[in-house]
Amino acid sequence: MPQPELYEAAMRHALSLAANGPVTGGNPQVGCVLLSPEGEIVAEGWHRGAGTAHAEVDALSKVADARGLTAVVTLEPCNHHGRTGPCSVALIEAGVARVVYAVDDPGRASAGGAEHLRNAGVETVQGVLKDEAETFLEKWLTATRRGTPWVTLKWAASLDGRSAAADGSSQWITGTAARQRVHEQRAEADAILVGTGTVIADDPSLTARGDAGEFLEHQPLPVVIGERPVPENAKLRQRGYVAAGTRDLDLVLRDLFGRGIRRAYVEGGPTLASALIAAGRVDEYLVYIAPKLIGGPRTAVGDLGLPSIGDAIDLTFTAVESLGDDILITARPATPAKE
């Protein structure tokens, strides 16, 4: 029987395979490695997006006979019929002898694969490299466990915290390198959220584009939060969007999760940003700081309802990056976002 060290090495390879899959689309990035009884890799696979073969099935398709093999999978094999059949059943029917996985599937419909495998006589080993897999799948796992998307809040500001000049002008606070990074981050999100005030004031297209202005492969779904209608001549009407029709953030986020949104990128103005922060709904902050002083009343974040310094929301910096003359600060709440 293979040793735990072999399982860990195979799991680490499976995690590297999983990274080949798309981060968007609602499904997790999953990798799978098939080991022979001697511990050699005989096949591998990963999930390429919604509607395609899951990692286990992808790997199984590459062997003529899987009887007696060990499947090493980054996530518990699913146990439900979606666009594809349950992976637990595929593994059982293939005759796999053992399944090793890192993290339990938290999905209400998809969980239970390990139990189904055990009931069919397949040995299961769980928790191998669990911490590494939890970190790799953090955004998807967090969203799935609580039923609302992972929320990333972005803003750009001057060194003194202003998002616009007194006359409302804000283009461009940051330089080209920072603005291009924003487009890349948009392409890694399922949805991009703004308030109706931003749509009315700025008429954004909310697209993800490359250096030459070309559309990137993935375009996030624009979501407009608020009660006011989107203007008839707005650019968003040319590409499609979701109008929330409400300011109820809990309702909006639950609805987005039901639409398959797992990663939400927020680019609204200070009103939406402040509402999300005050409601404890932000999982990650991306703050672009430009070496400018603007002054005036237009701050990047508005009133959070915090009466004193003792009530301040504590954050933890996780990264600081230079982008041309600007810097990007990534931060997380010291206390995790609201469940």
Side-chain angles (χ1 to χ4, degrees), residues 11-283:
M11 186 66 74
R12 197 163 282 114
H13 182 55
L15 285 168
S16 70
L17 293 171
N20 293 322
V23 297
T24 57
N27 288 339
Q29 295 172 288
V30 181
C32 176
V33 172
L34 296 179
L35 300 177
S36 69
E38 295 74 34
E40 297 177 350
I41 295 177
V42 296
E44 56 189 39
W46 66 88
H47 185 46
R48 291 166 172 79
T52 66
H54 286 193
E56 300 93 319
V57 175
D58 184 37
L60 288 171
S61 71
K62 299 171 184 176
V63 294
D65 186 355
R67 287 176 294 179
L69 300 183
T70 294
V72 179
V73 194
T74 55
L75 183 68
E76 177 188 12
C78 68
N79 197 45
H80 77 126
H81 286 273
R83 296 187 186 182
T84 59
C87 293
S88 58
V89 173
L91 291 165
I92 293 168
E93 292 180 346
V96 168
R98 182 181 302 107
V99 173
V100 178
Y101 70 93
V103 181
D104 291 332
D105 188 332
R108 293 181 181 179
S110 54
E115 182 179 4
H116 189 57
L117 288 162
R118 286 192 293 268
N119 290 339
V122 179
E123 180 185 351
T124 62
V125 179
Q126 67 186 89
V128 175
L129 293 190
K130 179 181 178 181
D131 290 346
E132 291 184 29
E134 286 269 356
T135 299
F136 176 77
L137 284 172
E138 179 186 20
K139 296 180 181 181
W140 183 86
L141 287 170
T142 300
T144 304
R145 285 166 178 162
R146 71 186 181 203
T148 58
W150 174 277
V151 174
T152 297
L153 174 59
K154 165 263 173 183
W155 70 75
S158 59
L159 190 60
D160 56 347
R162 269 55 182 179
S163 61
D167 64 357
S169 59
S170 61
Q171 294 182 331
W172 296 100
I173 290 178
T174 55
T176 56
R179 298 200 299 273
Q180 183 54 44
R181 179 58 58 84
V182 170
H183 279 276
E184 294 165 359
Q185 290 164 349
R186 288 177 178 181
E188 294 178 350
D190 293 307
I192 181 168
L193 279 55
V194 295
T196 51
T198 295
V199 174
I200 293 169
D202 299 338
D203 191 23
S205 59
L206 303 182
T207 54
R209 294 179 179 268
D211 290 329
E214 77 280 8
F215 285 103
L216 297 179
E217 182 177 358
H218 173 73
Q219 295 295 317
L221 173 69
V223 177
V224 182
I225 299 176
E227 298 171 345
R228 288 179 290 175
V230 172
E232 291 295 331
N233 60 346
K235 293 177 183 176
L236 286 183
R237 289 190 177 273
Q238 301 173 16
R239 60 173 299 220
Y241 64 96
V242 170
T246 179
R247 299 175 186 171
D248 187 326
L249 296 176
D250 288 346
L251 183 62
V252 170
L253 293 174
R254 288 195 300 270
D255 175 70
L256 291 179
F257 185 86
R259 295 173 182 265
I261 303 300
R262 300 296 179 267
R263 297 178 181 224
Y265 188 77
V266 183
E267 282 204 63
T271 300
L272 179 57
S274 303
L276 285 163
I277 296 170
R281 287 298 189 181
V282 179
D283 296 292

